[in-house]
Amino acid sequence: MPHDIAAIPVIETERLLLRPLVFADWPAYFAFLSSDRARYMGGPHTEETAWSFFCNDVAQWTLFGHGALMFEDRQTGETMGQVALCKGPLFPELELGWFVYEGAEGKGYALEAASALRDWGFATLGVSECVSYVDPDNARSIRLAERLGARLDPDAAAPHPANLVYRHERQVPQKNTT
């Protein structure tokens, strides 16, 4: 019986192109995960672990119809980080996650990319919510989750007991009754 493989989307925003991972992304991806910048993701990671993450990010699209996308500047083509909607067997719920390469922080790129992929997930996957698992020491990701409109859900399960869980809920437009 043929398996229905979901097409990996390409999403454009005002400034960004969200696109599938390609092997040319590996060196920067590994450099990020093997650096201290990955400390909020259990890092720094070895090359073997980083490669496992990279392959997982690609495979989720085929296995589940969602996964990771790199985001790049539409003008320059510079890749600035990654955003993902992932679940798989290791996460209790569908996670909206992100990371930003050095030099791209503080410019609203992660907010723009995460908003676009979250909204794609709500519209395309038919889900009404997702979560972000955030290290409690990662103040920037906490602020980003809050800027995305997520609320802290202290009762939600997390893949690591120390993680905070921020819940993103699909906003249904209110009908005008007047």
Side-chain angles (χ1 to χ4, degrees):
M1 175 178 281
H3 181 66
D4 185 20
I5 297 177
I8 302 174
V10 173
I11 302 169
E12 291 188 38
T13 68
E14 183 179 334
R15 300 181 296 166
L16 303 174
L17 179 70
L18 284 63
R19 56 150 179 88
L21 284 76
V22 294
F23 186 68
D25 293 319
W26 168 244
Y29 185 101
F30 174 54
F32 172 84
L33 284 177
S34 65
S35 76
D36 185 57
R37 292 182 57 78
R39 68 187 171 280
Y40 301 123
M41 300 170 61
H45 294 283
T46 65
E47 186 173 16
E48 291 79 10
T49 301
W51 179 248
S52 175
F53 286 8
F54 189 85
C55 292
N56 175 72
D57 289 345
V58 173
Q60 290 234 3
W61 286 108
T62 301
L63 298 173
F64 305 112
H66 52 71
L69 297 173
M70 302 308 288
F71 59 90
E72 64 183 47
D73 183 296
R74 286 179 54 189
Q75 298 290 318
T76 67
E78 178 186 0
T79 302
M80 295 177 290
Q82 183 192 77
V83 65
L85 274 173
C86 295
K87 185 173 184 314
L90 302 180
F91 290 169
E93 297 186 61
L94 182 66
E95 182 201 21
L96 174 65
W98 52 80
F99 63 76
V100 180
Y101 291 152
E102 189 170 2
E105 317 93 328
K107 298 174 182 159
Y109 297 129
L111 176 65
E112 192 172 325
S115 295
L117 188 58
R118 178 202 59 204
D119 294 349
W120 175 90
F122 288 158
T124 305
L125 301 177
V127 298
S128 60
E129 61 184 23
C130 58
V131 298
S132 293
Y133 301 117
V134 182
D135 184 295
D137 294 329
N138 191 341
R140 290 186 103 143
S141 280
I142 290 170
R143 281 194 307 275
L144 178 54
E146 291 169 349
R147 287 184 68 204
L148 286 162
R151 63 173 173 74
L152 185 61
D153 185 349
D155 299 321
H160 186 280
N163 287 147
L164 300 174
V165 180
Y166 279 85
R167 186 163 305 281
H168 306 264
E169 295 176 331
R170 182 179 188 170
Q171 301 301 312
V172 179
Q174 298 294 318
K175 290 184 180 180
N176 189 350
T177 57
T178 57

